[in-house]
Every structure is written in C-alpha cells, then in structure tokens.
Amino acid sequence: MTATLNRREFITLVGGAAAWPVAAHAQQVAVPVVGFLRSTPAAGFAFIVDAFRQGLNDAGFVEGKNVAIEYHWADNQQDRLPRLASRPISSAGK
C-alpha cells in the first residue's frame, strides 16, 4: 500500500502545522511574577534565595513553571531601596 498526498492534503497538512504554534501560544496562561528585594549584594546570600524558592515550592509555586521571580539587590546601598521597591515588576510574558 502506497500513501500519496495530493496537493490539497499537503497544503492542509502544512497549514495546520504552521498554525499549531500560534494556537498553543494563545492558550498560555499568565504566570504570576514575584519580586525579591534585598538590601545586600547577591554574593554570599544564595542560602536566602534557596530558602525563598523552597517556601514558594512548599506553597505549590515552581520558578520557571508556574511563577517567575525578579531579583533586585541594593548592594548595601540603602538609598537604592525606595527606587527598587517602587519599580514595577515587568510582565513575565514579555
């Protein structure tokens, strides 16, 4: 048995394959974004970030799957905190 594709079947197949990524993209759910703000530098504080992520995991949130996290560090410059805290969190989908 030989399978042959006529032109109409081929165009339908290619058109459906091309539309699939668009349909999949349209069905994506918005991912919540959580801001993480510290007055310290990032260096030497990985254990705090790990504990933060674990707390989110315990609550059912997994970074990169169903939540995005934006990290902001003031690097011991206290005057940077108000600006960092007032900066809006960007959309995870952009």
Side-chain angles (χ1 to χ4, degrees):
M1 175 175 162
T2 25
T4 59
L5 276 174
N6 66 32
R7 182 178 172 175
R8 182 173 291 160
E9 290 170 332
F10 177 75
I11 291 172
T12 302
L13 179 66
V14 171
W20 178 74
V22 175
H25 180 71
Q27 295 174 0
Q28 290 179 345
V29 177
V31 175
V33 180
V34 175
F36 179 91
L37 175 62
R38 288 276 303 172
S39 61
T40 63
F45 290 96
F47 69 97
I48 292 176
V49 173
D50 291 342
F52 180 71
R53 285 185 186 131
Q54 184 60 51
L56 287 173
N57 287 344
D58 293 346
F61 295 100
V62 179
E63 185 176 15
K65 284 188 135 187
N66 60 357
V67 70
I69 305 172
E70 286 194 5
Y71 298 93
H72 301 282
W73 304 87
D75 298 323
N76 292 329
Q77 297 176 24
Q78 303 304 318
D79 57 316
R80 292 181 62 197
L81 285 173
R83 183 176 50 84
L84 289 172
S86 66
R87 188 164 42 185
I89 297 175
S90 67
S91 172
K94 290 184 180 179

